[in-house]
Amino acid sequence: MDAKIFLSIVLISCCCMVARAQISDCCLRVRNKVVDKIPVVDYRHQIAGQGCLIDATILVTRHGRKLCVPLKEPWVSPVITHVDKLKKRCKEVDYKERRCFGVKRE
């Protein structure tokens, strides 16, 4: 009987740790202010209903600052395109160019 209780507690503890590991930082609000594309080196999309309350694009700067911006604003798309090209270029030159500062290796 004691072994069943012990194993139940271990199983519940493991489930809680896995659930906690999947929690990510969410944007609680967005700022619709145009962001210069030069300092942005990464991005990810936040979708409402997948652990967060609102839709947003999270832009990450060279120094690790996270900026929450609207998902579908027209000025966001060119920033994302710039980041994709930057990542591709940095991978080609093995992240040795100055403009690759802050870009994470893939």
Side-chain angles (χ1 to χ4, degrees):
M1 186 67 163
D2 290 334
K4 287 183 181 179
I5 293 172
F6 175 74
L7 290 175
S8 297
I9 292 172
V10 169
L11 180 64
I12 291 170
S13 297
C14 288
C15 290
C16 290
M17 285 190 288
V18 169
R20 203 175 312 156
Q22 292 177 351
I23 296 173
S24 63
D25 290 336
C26 291
C27 293
L28 301 177
R29 59 190 161 101
V30 294
R31 187 170 179 191
N32 192 5
K33 181 180 176 188
V34 177
V35 174
D36 183 27
K37 65 184 178 183
I38 301 302
V40 179
V41 294
D42 201 7
Y43 68 91
R44 64 183 166 92
H45 298 294
Q46 170 182 303
I47 308 299
Q50 294 181 354
C52 298
L53 297 176
I54 62 171
D55 290 333
T57 299
I58 302 169
L59 303 176
V60 182
T61 66
R62 294 182 188 283
H63 296 285
R65 185 170 178 205
K66 295 176 182 162
L67 308 171
C68 299
V69 298
L71 189 63
K72 302 211 186 245
E73 282 297 314
W75 62 267
V76 176
S77 182
V79 175
I80 289 172
T81 302
H82 166 77
V83 170
D84 290 339
K85 288 179 181 177
L86 177 67
K87 285 181 171 183
K88 182 179 177 186
R89 174 68 180 157
C90 289
K91 189 172 183 178
E92 289 172 357
V93 298
D94 198 30
Y95 303 89
K96 292 182 180 172
E97 290 183 354
R98 184 174 181 211
R99 65 179 151 181
C100 297
F101 168 73
V103 178
K104 291 185 181 179
R105 291 180 180 265
E106 294 181 352

